[in-house]
Amino acid sequence: MQSSKSLKTQLVAAAVSVVLSAFALSAATYAWYVANTKVSATTSTISATTNGFILQIDELKNGAQHGGEQKSLEAQTTGATLSPSSTDDLKNWYVCNGWNNQGLVTDYSTPNFSTTAKALPGEYEVAGKKYNAFIKSEYIVYTITDTGTADVYLDASNGAPVTIDAVGGDVSETMVGSLRVAITTQEIGRDGKSGTGPEDLRVVYAIHNETGKGNDANAIEGWTSIQNKGGTPTLDQATYRHIFTGGTDGWVAAKGTNGDYSVADGTQPIAKGVGYKGVAVHVYIWMEGTDADCVNGKSIENSLTTYNVSVKLAGVATS
């Protein structure tokens, strides 16, 4: 067990909050449930000081906000319209392209993502309407002073490190049950305000441990995704590492009664050795079309319910 026993090795805590506002269509037109979902994302940071440095979070486009006691407490990304999709690697994305007379999905296609200057990541059009296969929020996590580094973990000190909470109405299991939250990391580029090199997919979260079958003709049980198999979109067991509420062992830091955090040996960090330059942390959110909950029959039509998705991080000082 690695534990923080002095100022030098105390944990620095931070939190990422992503707020989704979801509005369901009155009629679905795809076999995978379709939601006309306006999404906004907000990030807030809770900071603690230890041995003169503070772990901070801001929007990546702003870069690290160094200098004295200045703190980055909030960042916000632009809203978008979300529809069900599927991916196994956050690189190859698929949407429903056809179904049989039983309403089961039989064919998948890659969305023609927009490349215009104002387009959001994941944005595409169907019949003149804009949708997003996913929402991508980009952050920078860094130490505000150049006095040490920290390994960053998911924070389970106050319950689940990732939560999805409904606000202002009834919960739609279609929305909550099929949401995926993925976290990737990437090196910071020379400009300090963008990522460079490949993204490292660390882990994917769902609220439940997936055990059922989705609305696909070749549905299989468990965590599934559409994958590129020899150039053909194919449904298979998801290969990414995944966690769920109540099933986060091996990924979280916890706080003891004395206020110190600790991580068990072998715990997987989100990022290692985060320092003054920082690391890019990307949060992807999508409705997994192959999920057992992503079906029309479970939808709550015309719902004005909003959903708050929170991802909490904690950093263990390493030097």
Side-chain angles (χ1 to χ4, degrees):
M1 177 75 72
Q2 179 183 345
S3 179
S4 47
K5 297 298 185 182
S6 66
L7 282 177
K8 184 176 180 181
T9 58
Q10 283 178 0
L11 281 177
V12 185
V16 181
S17 295
V18 185
V19 181
L20 290 83
S21 298
F23 303 90
L25 284 175
S26 58
T29 55
Y30 294 121
W32 284 352
Y33 175 71
V34 173
N36 184 23
T37 306
K38 292 299 293 181
V39 179
S40 62
T42 302
T43 295
S44 60
T45 299
I46 301 170
S47 302
T49 59
T50 172
N51 202 27
F53 73 93
I54 306 171
L55 194 66
Q56 294 283 281
I57 297 178
D58 203 344
E59 279 192 276
L60 180 58
K61 67 180 182 180
N62 296 332
Q65 303 296 301
H66 294 302
E69 294 301 313
Q70 184 178 4
K71 296 185 177 78
S72 304
L73 298 179
E74 184 173 285
Q76 187 166 356
T77 61
T78 305
T81 302
L82 190 67
S83 66
S85 62
S86 186
T87 185
D88 193 65
D89 56 11
L90 305 182
K91 299 174 184 176
N92 298 290
W93 291 87
Y94 300 96
V95 296
C96 169
N97 192 50
W99 52 92
N100 60 24
N101 57 10
Q102 295 178 315
L104 301 177
V105 179
T106 58
D107 190 26
Y108 314 92
S109 63
T110 299
N112 185 19
F113 291 122
S114 177
T115 58
T116 63
K118 293 184 179 180
L120 297 173
E123 183 178 300
Y124 68 99
E125 289 191 11
V126 174
K129 281 191 174 184
K130 291 183 179 180
Y131 294 93
N132 264 59
F134 58 90
I135 303 301
K136 181 182 181 181
S137 300
E138 301 185 302
Y139 307 104
I140 183 171
V141 179
Y142 60 97
T143 57
I144 201 168
T145 57
D146 194 11
T147 57
T149 61
D151 291 344
V152 178
Y153 298 88
L154 291 171
D155 179 8
S157 63
N158 190 28
V162 183
T163 57
I164 304 172
D165 299 310
V167 179
D170 294 329
V171 176
S172 167
E173 188 62 24
T174 298
M175 173 64 70
V176 172
S178 66
L179 276 183
R180 298 289 186 271
V181 181
I183 303 172
T184 73
T185 58
Q186 189 182 28
E187 290 186 11
I188 296 294
R190 288 187 177 182
D191 63 0
K193 299 180 180 180
S194 62
T196 185
E199 292 183 38
D200 181 13
L201 173 54
R202 301 301 300 146
V203 71
V204 176
Y205 165 86
I207 194 168
H208 305 302
N209 185 20
E210 301 304 332
T211 58
K213 292 183 178 181
N215 202 44
D216 301 86
N218 297 320
I220 54 178
E221 294 180 349
W223 292 72
T224 56
S225 64
I226 305 301
Q227 303 167 27
N228 186 341
K229 301 275 190 178
T232 301
T234 304
L235 187 147
D236 206 342
Q237 298 289 345
T239 64
Y240 49 69
R241 293 173 293 192
H242 52 264
I243 57 175
F244 55 94
T245 299
T248 58
D249 290 349
W251 283 94
V252 298
K255 185 187 292 185
T257 56
N258 61 355
D260 291 339
Y261 285 76
S262 62
V263 291
D265 292 339
T267 299
Q268 293 285 334
I270 296 299
K272 289 184 67 68
V274 176
Y276 195 68
K277 181 180 179 181
V279 63
V281 176
H282 308 286
V283 177
Y284 291 77
I285 300 173
W286 74 98
M287 293 174 66
E288 175 53 55
T290 68
D291 188 279
D293 290 311
C294 200
V295 294
N296 296 340
K298 291 189 176 183
S299 64
I300 297 178
E301 306 298 350
N302 300 316
S303 173
L304 297 180
T305 306
T306 62
Y307 297 87
N308 297 338
V309 178
S310 297
V311 180
K312 293 174 288 186
L313 305 175
V316 182
T318 56
S319 64

